[in-house]
Amino acid sequence: MIQLLATDIDGTLLDEHRFLSTQTIQAFKKVRDIPVILISARMPQAMYYLQDALERREMPIICYNGALVLNQQEEIFSTSIPFYDMQELAQIAQDHDLHCSIYRGDEWFVPQMDHWANREVNNTRVTPQVQDLETTLSYFKATQQQGGAHKIMLMGDRDAMDSAFAKASQLPAQLHLYRSKDTYTEISPKDISKKTALEILIKNAFEQVEMQYVAAFGDNYNDVEMIAGVGHGVAVENARDEVKAVANYQTAHHKQHGVAQWIETYLK
C-alpha cells in the first residue's frame, strides 16, 4: 500500500528534454488519488510548471534540498545560511573565479548572465536578477529578518571547484556542501535533508501517512537519506551507486521514464 509518492526532479523525473514525458504524465494521472510531492534542490518557481504539467499544483513542495517546505505558498518550514557565512562563501567564490548564485524563496541572484547562469535558466525556466555580489550581500544584510540564503550554488572549472570545495569545507559554519557535478557545488544549511523535510511535511500536512508507506525516487547523493528512510525507496538506473545501495527497487533510466515504469508496474 502506497500512501504518498515523493520524487526528485533532475536526473530522476525529467526526460532528455528536461521536461516530463507523455508517459510520465499519464502514469501520474492513473494514480490521481495518491499525493505526489516534488522534492528538489530547485527553487519554488522552478517546480510550479512541473506541478502544472502533472495537474498537482495543489500539492506541497519541498525546495532547496529541504531548506524550504511550502504548502500552497504557506511556509511550513524554513532554515537558511546566516549572513556571515554567505559573505565567507561569496569570498571563496570570488577567490577561485567561480560563478556564485544566491537563492532565497523565489529570489535568485547572479553576478552576471554568464554560461552558468544561462545554463540554469535553460534547465529551470526561471530568470534571475542580475547584480554584483556586493549589492546582493548588502540586500541580504538589510533584510536579515527574512532569513539568509536557502541555497548558494557555485559553478565553474573543476580544478577551481576542487580548491573552493576544500576551503569551504573548513569553515566553522554549519553547512552542507553537496557536489552535484564536478563543476557544481550546492551549499545549504547542515541541519536539513530531503528526508527530514519529508517528515516535517507529513507531520504537518499528511498526518495519516506513514514513512513506511511512502515511495520515493532519486538518483544522487542528496537522495540517499530519503531513499533509505522510506518504505519503498526507488533508484533510477542512472543513480549513483550510493543510492542504489540503499534502494528497495531499481527502475529504468530517467531518460527511459523510469519513474513512470515503476508506477505502472507496482501501482496498477
Side-chain angles (χ1 to χ4, degrees):
M1 180 175 66
I2 302 298
Q3 297 177 328
L4 184 144
L5 298 170
T7 180
D8 171 55
I9 295 175
D10 298 286
T12 300
L13 188 65
L14 305 186
D15 61 16
E16 68 270 23
H17 305 296
R18 304 195 71 84
F19 193 59
L20 299 161
S21 68
T22 299
Q23 183 175 341
T24 297
I25 291 172
Q26 291 302 317
F28 278 101
K29 284 184 177 180
K30 293 175 182 177
V31 291
R32 185 67 200 175
D33 58 327
I34 301 177
V36 173
I37 305 301
L38 299 184
I39 180 164
S40 173
R42 290 186 175 210
M43 64 189 295
Q45 281 190 28
M47 300 169 73
Y48 293 142
Y49 74 94
L50 298 171
Q51 283 189 307
D52 289 339
L54 291 171
E55 298 180 3
R56 301 283 183 149
R57 188 60 178 266
E58 79 283 0
M59 289 285 107
I61 54 174
I62 296 175
C63 318
Y64 300 122
N65 283 323
L68 179 64
V69 182
L70 298 174
N71 187 7
Q72 293 294 300
Q73 304 297 319
E74 178 187 354
E75 195 174 277
I76 292 178
F77 175 79
S78 176
T79 186
S80 59
I81 301 169
F83 177 71
Y84 176 79
D85 298 324
M86 293 174 59
Q87 288 181 301
E88 293 284 327
L89 292 166
Q91 187 62 55
I92 289 173
Q94 290 179 315
D95 291 345
H96 293 82
D97 195 25
L98 296 172
H99 173 101
C100 181
S101 278
I102 299 178
Y103 299 83
R104 180 173 65 187
D106 271 321
E107 298 176 304
W108 172 25
F109 301 95
V110 299
Q112 65 273 330
M113 287 305 297
D114 55 13
H115 161 76
W116 303 103
N118 282 307
R119 184 173 180 174
E120 286 303 298
V121 169
N122 180 67
N123 290 346
T124 66
R125 305 189 183 188
V126 179
T127 301
Q129 182 169 333
V130 182
Q131 57 190 34
D132 61 64
L133 276 173
E134 182 178 352
T135 301
T136 296
L137 290 172
S138 295
Y139 168 71
F140 271 84
K141 185 177 182 180
T143 59
Q144 288 185 69
Q145 71 279 4
Q146 298 178 33
H150 282 122
K151 183 178 80 168
I152 293 177
M153 185 155 67
L154 307 183
M155 296 175 279
D157 175 76
R158 182 182 64 183
D159 292 337
M161 190 67 72
D162 288 342
S163 299
F165 188 94
K167 190 169 183 178
S169 298
Q170 295 173 1
L171 292 176
Q174 294 297 303
L175 301 173
H176 178 68
L177 278 70
Y178 159 58
R179 197 82 175 263
S180 52
K181 298 180 181 179
D182 287 344
T183 52
Y184 279 61
T185 293
E186 300 184 36
I187 305 168
S188 58
K190 192 171 186 177
D191 58 344
I192 57 96
S193 72
K194 291 185 177 183
K195 175 179 177 284
T196 58
L198 186 57
E199 289 172 334
I200 290 169
L201 176 60
I202 288 173
K203 180 179 179 180
N204 284 272
F206 299 99
E207 291 183 358
Q208 78 284 3
V209 172
E210 298 179 35
M211 288 287 279
Q212 63 179 316
Y213 299 122
V214 172
F217 306 87
D219 74 301
N220 220 328
Y221 296 124
N222 59 337
D223 297 313
V224 171
E225 188 176 342
M226 175 179 69
I227 297 298
V230 300
H232 303 270
V234 187
V236 288
E237 182 183 339
N238 53 286
R240 303 272 188 180
D241 289 341
E242 291 83 351
V243 181
K244 293 177 180 178
V246 299
N248 306 106
Y249 310 87
Q250 184 172 320
T251 188
H253 197 286
H254 76 98
K255 294 181 181 180
Q256 298 172 338
H257 331 291
V259 174
Q261 288 193 37
W262 191 90
I263 290 173
E264 291 165 351
T265 300
Y266 292 97
L267 301 180
K268 296 180 180 179

